[in-house]
């Protein structure tokens, strides 16, 4: 599914190397977690994979099912099945949440050569998905993320994920700012989406999210590299001992 | 083998090139209708004024009224205070009267109208013959249960060609016809109200219009009548170098209500076209008028060549108590826009509202806003202006709010937001506020922002391309004003916003 090989990335405007040779492979149907201290390059990795401006790839490759991701526009990556759940979802004043999602869904369908989804079908679909995430009708009508609480914003990201049905989901610190209840809703939402054909890359600072979303593999990232990979027990080790020893090992 | 491949490649490339050229800076409604035109000679003088009056079959008093305006105009100077840059206009190098030849004898019914003309309206999406059933805005829950009725009085260049729904309107007692017909058929109303809101001597462009207006629309809604449908005039300039001088007069008698829609598209041109329209609205006691405009005239090409010069005087007079008027405008076209739809709040407790979206892209220049003149007690006004600048365009909001000594306990709220796309355009806000009593309150809020990269990336990461993303963000920015538009216009306006900003990013 997702294959990252020796990825080197620097900031476009500054001479600052952030990723220094990340190599990672997420096979279809698996959930991988990336953990690491602040400033280790976790968020940069998610932005570079989804095509945000401001970064320059100096070496290495990243591909989705053999397709070169780094060569595509952000919208092409989305249509290819990549989805990034933002750490800080962006507010778009005046644009209804439903309008936004319908525009996005139809844009992706168009890119795939499919017909637009009808207003009626869309409404039915979104109501169904929203119900599972305890997102009420009011939240669907409000402008995108405007005045949403932290938990509402994150639930909204998962709703988008559920509607757009990506193959490869990257979640950038989705657990930050969530209380226990919201964490459960978000995790349940993600777990419901787990399937053979869909992979997840869960970026998180803390282990607690991984109690709810069981990863197949845990990677530790430090100073722009993956320094250690292992099973779920690696996350528990971080929880107990902190990053200190692991990071030094890298 | 090789040949076939080459051919396929070439076909692909050609198709792409053709599509790119078609999409680049092309004006969606830029076609010509080949209809023979009947011109008066270029230039303006008393003979031309008389000719226009005669061609319209006007009575002597109207001819005199025009001549009086013309003599006044000759003593006036073109105003240059607006933040607009354009070459000197040679007023003697314009045509002041043109009409399709086939219209020399006015048709008795739509069947007699030149089919090419009707085809033009069809391209514009205006079915003259039957009621328009138009879809609602986004989503099924927002769509109206049944089609809404719209009556159309279409102005093709200078002559009104067909008016629908006349019978149903007549039943309600509503008069909706061309102004030339009103001058002939309802002289008492025209005499009483024409020039009573925008006097002959009001300003350079309005005075010119008073002298040479060719045609336009007339509406009278009798006391207590709620007009049974929305009234609509589609203006379309279609003769090269023809100055367009429409004159619209709307009278809402006591306790009546009417909603009026004005929409414009024009074909692509090389030379600048002069337009100086006047709209007068009289609102009597307890009456309410909504006037909505979607303006999409040719804005000129990327280098600023061609495009309409649009100098418009629009004013509503809330003449009596509790009269109410609401202006909503979506201004996306024209090379030059000079336009300040205004409200005179004369009656006590009268209300004026102004909602505006002004989009300027490429080399367009817009200087637009409103005047709220509070004369009566307890009057209210609200201004919501959204200006969007892209390319090298300049967009100015210019607004006057004045509270006269007698206008006790009056209120105004102004919100003025500017959005910039790119780094070569400009947004300017010029508010004039005069308060001459101590019990009134005026609020003014203004913001200027740029289209945010994070917002665009968020949209794109969900699958929208850059132009879709910009259109979505800008439509969100304009939402308050779009919502003030009647359903029929809101959707058209939304897509216009997107079309107007094509090529503004990347």
């Amino acid at each position: 599914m997702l294959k990252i090989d020796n990825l080197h990335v620097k900031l476009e405007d500054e001479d600052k190397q952030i990723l220094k040779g990340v190599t990672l492979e997420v096979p279809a149907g698996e959930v991988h977690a990336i953990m690491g201290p602040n400033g280790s390059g976790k968020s940069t990795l998610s932005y570079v994979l989804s095509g945000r401006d401001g970064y320059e790839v100096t070496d290495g490759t990243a591909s989705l099912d053999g397709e070169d991701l780094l060569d595509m526009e952000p919208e092409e990556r989305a249509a290819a099945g990549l989805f990034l759940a933002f750490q800080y979802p962006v507010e778009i004043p005046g644009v209804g949440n439903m309008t936004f999602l319908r525009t996005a869904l139809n844009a992706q369908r168009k890119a795939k050569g499919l017909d637009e989804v009808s207003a009626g079908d869309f409404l039915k679909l979104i109501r169904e998905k929203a119900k599972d995430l305890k997102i009420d009708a009011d939240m669907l009508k409000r402008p995108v993320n405007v005045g949403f609480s932290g938990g509402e914003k994150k639930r909204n990201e998962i709703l988008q994920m559920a509607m757009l049905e990506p193959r490869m989901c990257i979640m950038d610190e989705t657990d930050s700012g969530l209380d226990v209840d919201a964490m459960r809703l978000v995790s349940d939402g993600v777990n419901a989406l787990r399937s053979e054909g869909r992979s997840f890359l869960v970026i998180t600072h803390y282990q607690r999210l991984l109690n709810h979303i069981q990863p197949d593999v845990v990677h530790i990232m430090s100073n722009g590299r993956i320094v250690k990979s292992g099973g779920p027990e690696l996350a528990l080790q971080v929880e107990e001992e902190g990053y200190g020893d692991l990071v030094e090992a890298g | 083998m090789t040949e076939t491949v080459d051919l396929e490649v070439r076909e692909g490339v050609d198709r792409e090139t053709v599509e790119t050229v078609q999409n680049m800076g092309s004006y969606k409604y830029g076609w010509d209708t080949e209809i023979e035109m009947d011109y008066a000679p270029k230039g303006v003088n008393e003979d031309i004024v008389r000719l226009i009056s005669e061609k319209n079959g006007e009575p002597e008093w109207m001819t005199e009224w025009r001549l009086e305006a013309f003599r006044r105009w000759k003593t006036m100077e073109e105003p240059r205070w607006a933040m607009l840059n354009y070459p000197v206009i040679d007023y003697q190098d314009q045509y002041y009267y043109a009409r399709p030849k086939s219209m020399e004898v006015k048709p008795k019914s739509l069947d007699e109208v030149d089919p090419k003309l009707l085809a033009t309206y069809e391209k514009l999406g205006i079915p003259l013959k039957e009621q328009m059933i138009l879809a609602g805005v986004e989503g099924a829950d927002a769509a109206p249960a049944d089609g809404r009725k719209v009556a159309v009085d279409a102005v093709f260049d200078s002559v009104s060609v067909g008016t629908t729904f006349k019978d149903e309107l007549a039943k309600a007692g509503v008069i909706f016809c061309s102004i030339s017909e009103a001058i002939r058929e309802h002289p008492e109303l025209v005499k009483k109200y024409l020039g009573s809101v925008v006097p002959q001597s009001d300003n350079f462009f309005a005075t010119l219009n008073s002298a040479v207006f060719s045609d336009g629309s007339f509406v009278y809604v009798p006391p207590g009548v709620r007009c049974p449908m929305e009234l609509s005039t589609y203006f379309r300039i279609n003769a090269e170098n023809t100055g367009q001088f429409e004159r619209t007069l709307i009278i809402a008698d006591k306790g009546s209500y009417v909603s009026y829609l004005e929409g414009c598209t024009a074909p692509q041109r090389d030379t600048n076209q002069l337009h100086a329209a006047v709209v007068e609205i009289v609102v009597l006691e307890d009456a309410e008028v909504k006037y909505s405009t979607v303006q999409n005239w040719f804005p000129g090409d990327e280098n600023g060549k061609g495009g309409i010069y649009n100098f418009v005087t629009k004013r509503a007079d809330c003449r009596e108590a509790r009269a109410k008027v609401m202006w909503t405008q979506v201004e996306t076209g024209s090379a030059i826009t000079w336009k300040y739809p205004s409200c005179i709040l004369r009656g006590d407790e009268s209300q004026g509202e102004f909602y505006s979206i002004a989009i300027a892209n490429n080399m367009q220049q817009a200087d637009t806003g409103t005047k709220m003149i509070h004369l009566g007690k307890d009057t209210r006004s609200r201004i919501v202006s959204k200006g969007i600048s892209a390319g090298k365009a300049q967009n100015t909001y210019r607004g006057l709010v004045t509270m006269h000594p007698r206008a006790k306990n009056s209120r105004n709220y102004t919100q003025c937001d500017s959005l910039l796309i790119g780094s070569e355009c400009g947004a300017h806000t010029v508010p004039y506020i005069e308060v001459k009593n101590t019990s009134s309150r005026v609020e003014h809020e203004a913001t200027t922002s740029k289209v945010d990269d994070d917002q665009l990336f968020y949209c794109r990461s969900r699958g929208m391309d850059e132009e879709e993303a910009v259109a979505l963000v800008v439509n969100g920015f304009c939402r308050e004003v779009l919502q003030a538009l009647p359903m029929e216009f809101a959707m058209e306006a939304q897509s216009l916003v997107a079309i107007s900003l094509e090529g503004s990013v990347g």
Side-chain angles (χ1 to χ4, degrees):
Chain A
M1 177 77 66
L2 179 68
K3 200 171 172 189
I4 305 166
D5 190 26
N6 193 32
L7 191 64
H8 285 71
V9 172
K10 68 180 269 294
L11 288 181
E12 210 169 54
D13 299 334
E14 276 175 65
D15 202 19
K16 190 177 173 192
Q17 198 74 28
I18 299 183
L19 299 185
K20 301 167 182 170
V22 174
T23 298
L24 181 69
E25 193 171 346
V26 186
E30 289 193 6
V31 174
H32 286 215
I34 295 186
M35 300 180 72
N38 288 330
S40 57
K42 304 188 299 289
S43 286
T44 297
L45 179 64
S46 71
Y47 285 142
V48 169
L49 291 175
S50 53
R52 188 189 180 115
D53 281 345
Y55 302 100
E56 190 186 327
V57 176
T58 51
D59 199 7
T61 58
S63 61
L64 187 64
D65 286 335
E67 279 184 278
D68 181 6
L69 277 177
L70 303 177
D71 206 27
M72 296 186 213
E73 296 293 335
E75 59 270 25
E76 292 169 336
R77 303 182 197 202
L82 187 81
F83 181 92
L84 170 65
F86 281 55
Q87 184 180 3
Y88 304 108
V90 180
E91 298 183 3
I92 309 180
V95 177
N97 214 4
M98 261 201 288
T99 307
F100 176 80
L101 253 175
R102 200 171 147 210
T103 310
L105 184 61
N106 281 332
Q108 291 204 12
R109 290 181 66 91
K110 199 174 136 199
K112 290 171 192 159
L114 299 169
D115 284 341
E116 292 198 346
V117 61
S118 77
D121 289 349
F122 175 80
L123 213 60
K124 220 175 117 188
L125 191 67
I126 195 166
R127 281 190 181 142
E128 199 180 293
K129 308 262 186 198
K131 203 176 149 196
D132 296 339
L133 287 159
K134 291 213 164 69
I135 290 173
D136 61 17
D138 178 56
M139 203 169 131
L140 291 177
K141 282 184 189 157
R142 275 154 58 192
V144 180
N145 293 321
V146 177
F148 284 27
S149 71
E152 284 176 331
K153 283 184 180 171
K154 297 298 171 74
R155 264 147 63 200
N156 201 34
E157 293 292 289
I158 306 304
L159 174 67
Q160 292 179 13
M161 193 193 278
M163 289 294 290
L164 297 172
E165 300 187 316
R167 284 188 289 171
M168 180 69 230
C169 310
I170 303 170
M171 297 169 60
D172 187 8
E173 306 215 8
T174 299
D175 51 335
S176 68
L178 290 189
D179 60 25
V180 180
D181 291 337
M183 177 99 77
R184 188 171 301 277
L185 279 172
V186 164
S187 311
D188 289 351
V190 171
N191 287 330
L193 287 171
R194 288 178 78 155
S195 75
E196 271 177 34
R198 183 173 290 136
S199 311
F200 290 83
L201 190 59
V202 181
I203 294 170
T204 179
H205 198 71
Y206 301 104
Q207 185 268 339
R208 58 175 189 164
L209 179 68
L210 305 179
N211 288 336
H212 300 280
I213 304 171
Q214 279 283 320
D216 297 298
V217 180
V218 175
H219 307 275
I220 307 295
M221 193 163 178
S222 170
N223 196 21
R225 282 188 198 93
I226 304 288
V227 292
K228 189 164 186 173
S229 301
E233 71 283 352
L234 195 53
L236 291 170
Q237 191 188 336
V238 168
E239 183 73 6
E240 279 166 26
E241 301 168 16
Y243 287 110
D245 289 348
L246 290 164
V247 168
E248 272 163 35
Chain B
M1 262 295 272
T2 326
E3 234 179 67
T4 326
V5 173
D6 277 351
L7 210 70
E8 269 176 20
V9 169
R10 252 193 37 209
E11 263 182 18
V13 170
D14 284 355
R15 202 167 45 243
E16 199 177 298
T17 310
V18 168
E19 277 168 10
T20 308
V21 170
Q22 278 172 345
N23 292 333
M24 255 179 49
S26 70
Y27 178 64
K28 200 175 157 224
Y29 297 116
W31 71 87
D32 254 319
T33 310
E34 289 168 31
I35 291 172
E36 276 190 86
M37 303 296 293
D38 178 18
Y39 293 101
K42 266 187 184 175
V44 60
N45 53 43
E46 292 203 5
D47 288 343
I48 293 287
V49 174
R50 282 203 179 86
L51 175 87
I52 294 166
S53 189
E54 189 191 308
K55 288 260 186 191
N56 281 344
E58 290 173 358
E60 185 62 25
W61 60 267
M62 194 64 234
T63 315
E64 279 308 314
W65 195 85
R66 286 174 179 274
L67 287 169
E68 207 180 298
F70 179 69
R71 285 167 201 144
R72 174 69 79 120
W73 180 71
K74 283 198 298 186
T75 69
M76 296 169 92
E77 272 186 40
E78 190 184 320
R80 282 284 183 169
W81 42 257
M83 206 176 283
L84 300 170
N85 252 315
Y86 54 91
V88 173
I89 299 169
D90 183 352
Y91 290 90
Q92 296 302 340
D93 195 34
Q94 308 279 336
Y95 288 104
Y96 287 83
Y97 188 78
R99 64 171 165 184
K101 245 193 179 153
S102 59
M103 298 288 302
E104 273 188 298
V105 178
K106 295 219 174 181
K108 305 236 166 2
S109 74
L110 282 174
D111 299 336
E112 292 177 27
V113 172
D114 190 329
K116 273 193 203 160
L117 211 56
L118 293 178
T120 302
Y121 290 130
E122 246 181 71
K123 273 197 225 170
L124 283 171
I126 315 164
L128 273 177
K129 286 190 174 176
E130 38 196 310
Q131 77 179 43
M132 290 160 99
I133 298 172
L134 295 150
V137 194
E138 56 184 56
D141 52 348
D146 56 352
R148 295 247 225 122
K149 290 178 181 175
V150 180
V152 179
D153 176 30
V155 176
F156 189 88
D157 277 355
S158 309
V159 185
S160 289
V161 282
T163 305
T164 46
F165 293 103
K166 268 204 158 153
D167 291 345
E168 198 173 332
L169 289 171
K171 231 183 279 168
V174 175
I175 303 168
F176 178 37
C177 61
S178 71
I179 192 117
S180 53
E181 190 181 330
I183 290 165
R184 291 190 302 269
E185 307 291 330
H186 309 283
E188 69 296 342
L189 286 171
V190 177
K191 264 189 192 170
K192 186 170 175 189
Y193 292 110
L194 188 74
S196 74
V197 185
V198 180
Q200 274 165 309
S201 57
D202 191 81
N203 69 71
F204 182 84
F205 298 110
T207 304
L208 178 61
N209 174 287
S210 298
V212 301
F213 72 85
S214 37
D215 214 334
S217 299
F218 176 84
V219 178
Y220 173 77
V221 192
V225 170
R226 191 178 170 87
C227 187
M229 64 194 70
E230 313 216 303
L231 304 179
S232 168
T233 299
Y234 279 73
F235 291 89
R236 181 171 168 81
I237 302 178
N238 204 17
E240 194 152 5
N241 264 340
T242 304
Q244 281 280 303
F245 304 95
E246 314 298 342
R247 186 96 193 183
T248 300
L249 177 58
I250 298 173
I251 302 140
D253 214 323
K254 291 180 198 295
S256 68
Y257 168 85
V258 63
S259 167
Y260 190 90
L261 318 178
E262 176 202 18
C264 320
T265 57
Q268 194 153 353
R269 287 290 169 216
D270 262 341
T271 48
N272 290 303
Q273 290 180 301
L274 176 64
H275 187 103
V278 171
V279 176
E280 291 182 275
I281 303 178
V282 180
V283 197
L284 301 182
E285 197 175 77
D286 291 312
E288 182 178 351
V289 176
K290 280 187 187 172
Y291 192 106
S292 312
T293 307
V294 171
Q295 188 268 108
N296 180 28
W297 288 331
F298 182 52
D301 65 16
E302 289 87 340
N303 303 314
K305 194 160 185 268
I308 305 283
Y309 287 6
N310 191 27
F311 302 97
V312 185
T313 305
K314 287 181 169 179
R315 197 173 301 153
D317 186 358
C318 292
R319 202 158 281 185
E320 296 177 354
R322 294 170 303 279
K324 198 174 166 188
V325 72
M326 178 169 149
W327 294 104
T328 309
Q329 63 171 23
V330 179
E331 300 283 319
T332 66
S334 298
I336 298 286
T337 302
W338 182 98
K339 184 181 172 189
Y340 316 91
S342 305
C343 302
I344 301 170
L345 303 170
R346 197 186 304 273
D348 292 345
E349 295 172 55
S350 58
Q351 288 180 42
E353 289 173 46
F354 174 76
Y355 294 91
S356 170
I357 297 169
I359 299 178
N361 194 1
N362 297 319
M363 300 294 284
Q364 280 180 277
Q365 302 173 64
D367 193 304
T368 184
T370 184
K371 288 190 261 184
M372 292 292 175
I373 299 165
H374 292 253
L375 300 176
K377 275 178 259 178
D378 301 307
T379 46
R380 299 271 179 280
S381 66
R382 182 180 173 84
I383 299 169
V384 178
S385 164
K386 305 278 182 179
I388 296 123
S389 318
K392 294 179 177 171
Q394 296 295 327
N395 205 331
T396 303
Y397 167 82
R398 190 183 301 275
L400 168 72
V401 176
T402 173
M403 300 284 182
H404 279 244
R406 213 185 75 79
K408 303 234 184 316
N409 297 313
S410 294
R411 298 270 181 279
N412 160 265
Y413 172 73
T414 300
Q415 184 193 328
C416 196
D417 299 321
S418 303
L419 188 68
L420 300 170
I421 302 172
S423 52
E424 289 181 89
C425 54
H428 316 274
T429 303
V430 191
Y432 304 78
I433 298 170
E434 298 169 7
V435 183
K436 292 175 181 160
N437 68 58
T438 51
S439 58
S440 292
R441 195 167 79 201
V442 175
E443 289 173 68
H444 182 95
E445 282 179 28
T447 66
T448 303
S449 52
K450 283 190 79 164
V451 167
D452 185 46
D453 286 344
D454 285 343
Q455 289 176 337
L456 294 185
F457 175 63
Y458 192 60
C459 293
R460 293 181 74 188
S461 77
R462 299 302 181 247
M464 297 170 218
D465 66 32
E466 199 163 14
E467 285 192 342
E468 267 179 306
V470 169
L472 193 78
V473 170
V474 173
N475 267 314
F477 172 76
C478 300
R479 186 184 163 97
E480 237 180 308
V481 176
L482 290 170
Q483 279 177 333
L485 283 170
M487 199 76 88
E488 287 80 356
F489 262 21
M491 199 149 97
E492 194 180 326
Q494 270 191 354
S495 40
L496 249 186
V497 168
I499 292 168
S500 314
L501 291 171
E502 268 174 20
S504 64
V505 287

